[in-house]
Amino acid sequence: MDQYTFQPIGILHSPFREKFGIPRQPRLTPHAISTLELFAPFNAAECLQGLEEFSHLWLSFIFHATAAQGWQPTVRPPRLGGNTTRGVFATRSMFRPNPMGLSVVELLDIVDGDKGKCLRLRGADLLDGTPILDIKPYIPYADSVSAARGSFAQAAPPTLPVQWSANAEQEAETLLLPTDLRMLIDEVLAQDPRPAYRAKQEDTQEYGVWLEEINVRFCVQQQTVWVLALQPKP
């Protein structure tokens, strides 16, 4: 059997500093702005000629943070409550025979970086530092199938309302928290990043999710997410 070696064409810089809190699908957090830093020779203007004519792109990437853990033949999708199993090929689990993923993002701009061309992207569901293997343009007539069936993921997951405590509001003011980052915090927490089984039981635990350089402390009470505190990185 032939063996293949793939070379990353770049690395993605995203606001998601850890796996916990990353949206489970792309485009669920429109205030998640990422930068794709392309490596030479792929950062030459010739490689990107005409790309600006497309609004969205497909990114092929490596699940680099979990690749060493190997793969599993069955998976417990969060959308099914974390208890029902499906075959790995019927899910988008990161624990795959080859740790590769596919994500659709919006192309905002092509900019000049320190080492060549970079892409500014919206809505990526990828960990900071994710290696990117390839870029392909999203073709609406071919890639969007109106009659497609989505099994247990036919529609976007429900979201929870997000409220900020007085303490969190004060800390946001002290930190001069950018409006876009506040919007991203709301979008991420509305997706309820907790383990799926937690949604069906009383949960008194306090959680933290790293976005940009801030540890956002939160809890969920009566199906409402409460932002408790903002802890900047030391």
Side-chain angles (χ1 to χ4, degrees):
M1 181 181 297
D2 292 335
Q3 298 292 319
Y4 301 94
T5 300
F6 295 97
Q7 175 186 1
I9 65 168
I11 188 170
L12 190 85
H13 303 290
S14 86
F16 303 114
R17 300 297 194 259
E18 60 182 358
K19 177 178 174 290
F20 182 68
I22 296 179
R24 297 186 176 107
Q25 300 295 340
R27 302 179 62 227
L28 294 178
T29 53
H31 283 84
I33 307 300
S34 303
T35 299
L36 173 51
E37 175 189 352
L38 295 168
F39 300 148
F42 315 111
N43 56 2
E46 291 83 354
C47 295
L48 303 173
Q49 184 178 353
L51 192 66
E52 74 282 355
E53 299 172 9
F54 295 90
S55 66
H56 292 74
L57 310 173
W58 289 107
L59 300 181
S60 301
F61 64 91
I62 296 290
F63 288 111
H64 66 295
T66 55
Q69 299 178 40
W71 70 287
Q72 302 170 0
T74 58
V75 177
R76 293 182 172 87
R79 288 291 295 275
L80 295 177
N83 295 315
T84 304
T85 60
R86 289 289 187 273
V88 62
F89 298 131
T91 76
R92 295 190 175 186
S93 167
M94 64 192 69
F95 302 106
R96 318 190 69 79
N98 294 299
M100 297 173 57
L102 190 65
S103 187
V104 65
V105 296
E106 181 182 354
L107 175 62
L108 296 178
D109 200 3
I110 301 174
V111 298
D112 292 317
D114 294 337
K115 300 178 182 179
K117 295 293 185 180
C118 297
L119 306 183
R120 290 187 65 250
L121 308 169
R122 183 194 302 277
D125 56 339
L126 303 180
L127 182 67
D128 184 54
T130 293
I132 303 300
L133 294 177
D134 199 8
I135 303 166
K136 290 185 175 67
Y138 179 92
I139 307 296
Y141 85 86
D143 294 341
S144 178
V145 183
S146 60
R149 292 182 292 111
S151 183
F152 58 85
Q154 186 66 34
T159 57
L160 298 180
V162 178
Q163 297 288 335
W164 288 58
S165 68
N167 178 69
E169 291 282 11
Q170 179 60 52
E171 290 176 335
E173 183 176 342
T174 301
L175 293 170
L176 301 177
L177 192 74
T179 300
D180 284 350
L181 181 52
R182 176 164 181 149
M183 296 294 293
L184 177 61
I185 292 171
D186 285 346
E187 290 166 355
V188 168
L189 297 187
Q191 303 295 324
D192 193 356
R194 299 175 300 162
Y197 69 90
R198 288 287 192 180
K200 297 182 179 181
Q201 58 184 232
E202 186 69 22
D203 189 2
T204 60
Q205 183 171 333
E206 179 179 315
Y207 298 87
V209 56
W210 280 98
L211 295 173
E212 298 289 358
E213 302 302 320
I214 293 180
N215 184 13
V216 182
R217 309 300 300 180
F218 72 95
C219 68
V220 180
Q221 297 178 353
Q222 298 180 339
Q223 295 301 299
T224 296
V225 182
W226 282 92
V227 182
L228 303 176
L230 305 176
Q231 300 175 347
K233 187 175 182 179

